[in-house]
Amino acid sequence: MITSTRRVSPDKSEVRIAFSLSETTDVKEDEDLAHNFPGLERRLQPVPPCVSLRESVQVYREHCRMAKEFHQVKHEISVLEDHKRKLLAELVDDEQVAMEIARLQEEFRRLVEENRTLVTVHSERAQQLEMLCLTNQIRRDSS
């Protein structure tokens, strides 16, 4: 590992840089993650880190993690929006069914009332017929 400490100017604090030519990091694995975000705007894509700076690699990994999380949330939103569309379609269907039920209930009420009226008229006509038959019987008997 090579380390270097430099002072950029007399009034600034020291800057320490450390890097190793033999130490390998798993940055390659992280770089591969960047290709897993095709839906992410180019300006939001994780930028490969400066491998000699540990903080840069950490920021890069965090950025990849957030990009992955963003992708998952975006997918979940898409799934939920599809579910919402299906529920709205079902709601429309349910409203149409409810309107049809209301129409059929009104028609049933009207038909029950019409039936009641017809039964009453039938009963009245049956009584009239019976009276006419009795009247006709009495006339025959008297003649």
Side-chain angles (χ1 to χ4, degrees):
M1 165 139 340
I2 301 171
T3 60
S4 174
T5 305
R6 302 274 185 221
R7 188 177 299 269
V8 178
S9 65
D11 58 329
K12 302 281 183 179
S13 62
E14 290 183 343
V15 176
R16 185 174 185 192
I17 298 174
F19 64 93
S20 170
L21 298 175
S22 61
E23 186 177 297
T24 61
T25 64
D26 52 350
V27 171
K28 175 70 175 129
E29 176 185 316
D30 292 333
E31 286 175 353
D32 291 340
L33 285 176
H35 301 293
N36 292 334
F37 309 110
L40 196 59
E41 294 177 36
R42 184 171 180 80
R43 66 183 182 86
L44 299 177
Q45 291 286 335
V47 176
C50 176
V51 293
S52 63
L53 296 174
R54 178 172 285 163
E55 186 177 304
S56 176
V57 173
Q58 289 172 342
V59 168
Y60 177 75
R61 287 180 181 153
E62 180 66 13
H63 192 174
C64 287
R65 186 196 62 74
M66 290 186 324
K68 182 178 179 183
E69 184 178 327
F70 176 80
H71 180 71
Q72 290 170 339
V73 168
K74 200 172 175 183
H75 176 72
E76 288 174 21
I77 289 171
S78 174
V79 168
L80 290 172
E81 285 175 343
D82 286 345
H83 187 63
K84 176 185 171 185
R85 275 191 289 282
K86 289 175 185 174
L87 289 175
L88 287 174
E90 287 178 24
L91 180 62
V92 168
D93 291 344
D94 290 348
E95 288 173 350
Q96 290 173 344
V97 167
M99 289 171 50
E100 180 67 10
I101 288 171
R103 186 190 67 74
L104 291 172
Q105 286 174 333
E106 178 58 30
E107 183 179 351
F108 179 76
R109 187 200 59 74
R110 186 183 53 77
L111 290 172
V112 166
E113 184 61 34
E114 183 180 338
N115 185 45
R116 192 174 294 130
T117 302
L118 290 173
V119 167
T120 302
V121 169
H122 177 266
S123 178
E124 290 172 358
R125 297 304 177 257
Q127 286 177 351
Q128 286 176 352
L129 180 60
E130 191 177 318
M131 291 298 286
L132 286 173
C133 287
L134 284 174
T135 306
N136 196 19
Q137 186 74 31
I138 293 173
R139 283 189 191 156
R140 272 196 215 151
D141 290 342
S142 51
S143 20

